[in-house]
Amino acid sequence: MSSDKVAIITGSSRGIGAETAKLFAENGYAVCINYIANEAAAENVKNEILQKGGRCISVQADVSIAADVIRLFETVEAELGYVSALVNNAAVLKKQCSLVEISEERFAEILRVNVMSCFLCCKEAIKRMSTKNGGMGGVIVNVSSGASKSGSPNEYIDYAASKGAVDTLTRGLALEVAAEGIRVNAVRPGLIYTEMHASGGKPDRVDRLKSKIPMQRGGNPKEVAEAIFWLASD
Ligand code: NAP
């Protein structure tokens, strides 16, 4: 299995990120599994990739903190090589409620984890990838959400607003670095079966809402991983 290409997938210990890491590895990428707290889950993903003959490391880093992001990129470069793909997938959401029930602290945390992380990782990636700086180019895929369009009323307007920011950052950056050998895109998943819905206090959210989906079913993380991988492909 060739490993010329290296991908960092943030928040890849679980859910969509984990499936994305496995898919990149199956397609010859050396991958970095990133997580914030769940080391056991990250090790499981890493071991699954290693057992199939892939190249993989796991790095604990809070991607909303600049020093952690710099350490993440430096570790990956030293252990795997030139980073040619970045998937900004890590994000959190909090309990469902109305806007007036959201505290300033919660709003700030959601923006920090969901938007600052994307900004910081894009910055480190662009510094290295840009042909203007002597880099060899690369691809960035940001994981937004259908929430950026719906606004998530009575659920989590803070989360929806953070994904609106991710959409705008994606568009601006795509135009800014298009001539520097870097492609930037985003995916907006709908209702996907992951543990994230439990964080919102509704672990069965996908099944409760799936009748509103034309196909009458929720999505699985692998389907989102395939869209991310396609956007990262040549
Ligand atoms: P998930 O199952 O809750 O997993 C979240 C991942 O992010 C975990 O690996 C977690 O690490 C990591 N993480 C959280 N905060 C982090 C931080 N500060 N630094 C580093 N890693 C961090 O989430 P998911 O449902 O797969 O969602 C993945 C992406 O898809 C998110 O951007 C989400 O907004 C988006 N999305 C999901 C859905 C859906 O229906 N599930 C729909 C639309 C969009 P630990 O394991 O260490 O906690």
Side-chain angles (χ1 to χ4, degrees):
M1 189 178 287
S2 115
S3 281
D4 323 323
K5 295 182 169 183
V6 174
I8 295 177
I9 296 113
T10 70
S12 43
S13 46
R14 295 184 285 121
I16 292 168
E19 288 305 320
T20 304
K22 289 187 232 171
L23 189 60
F24 272 68
E26 277 165 23
N27 284 279
Y29 275 81
V31 296
C32 170
I33 309 297
N34 158 252
Y35 65 102
I36 183 164
N38 200 333
E39 186 179 358
E43 289 302 300
N44 280 343
V45 180
K46 181 172 93 177
N47 289 334
E48 195 177 324
I49 290 171
L50 293 175
Q51 274 161 19
K52 288 185 178 163
R55 268 177 85 208
C56 180
I57 60 168
S58 62
V59 178
Q60 187 284 334
D62 180 344
V63 286
S64 69
I65 294 175
D68 278 28
V69 171
I70 290 166
R71 175 174 54 78
L72 170 67
F73 274 78
E74 287 176 348
T75 305
V76 175
E77 262 179 343
E79 296 192 23
L80 297 176
Y82 178 81
V83 177
S84 51
L86 165 68
V87 180
N88 283 309
N89 168 78
V92 288
L93 56 70
K94 303 273 180 186
K95 292 273 175 291
Q96 292 191 355
C97 64
S98 64
L99 181 140
V100 293
E101 294 171 287
I102 297 174
S103 67
E104 283 173 56
E105 292 74 20
R106 166 173 156 169
F107 195 83
E109 186 190 341
I110 292 291
L111 290 187
R112 184 174 57 76
V113 178
N114 297 2
V115 188
M116 185 68 85
S117 62
C118 183
F119 158 72
L120 290 170
C121 290
C122 284
K123 197 169 162 176
E124 287 310 305
I126 302 285
K127 280 193 218 163
R128 291 161 167 84
M129 292 174 178
S130 172
T131 51
K132 240 167 70 177
N133 305 333
M136 295 182 284
V139 290
I140 297 175
V141 182
N142 296 328
V143 183
S144 176
S145 169
S148 77
K149 289 286 167 195
S150 74
S152 301
N154 298 305
E155 287 193 320
Y156 12 69
I157 288 177
D158 50 354
Y159 171 83
S162 76
K163 294 300 187 178
V166 168
D167 284 358
T168 305
L169 185 153
T170 303
R171 180 160 179 78
L173 188 60
L175 299 172
E176 190 168 292
V177 298
E180 297 173 32
I182 306 166
R183 254 185 11 247
V184 187
N185 281 288
V187 295
R188 281 196 204 109
L191 291 163
I192 311 299
Y193 288 102
T194 73
E195 293 166 1
M196 180 170 257
H197 304 290
S199 315
K202 304 282 177 193
D204 61 342
R205 181 167 174 264
V206 178
D207 282 331
R208 276 193 306 109
L209 298 176
K210 70 181 180 189
S211 64
K212 298 197 163 101
I213 298 169
M215 286 170 78
Q216 303 288 302
R217 68 167 181 88
N220 62 63
K222 178 90 188 287
E223 290 173 295
V224 184
E226 283 164 354
I228 293 170
F229 183 73
W230 181 77
L231 285 170
S233 69
D234 292 344

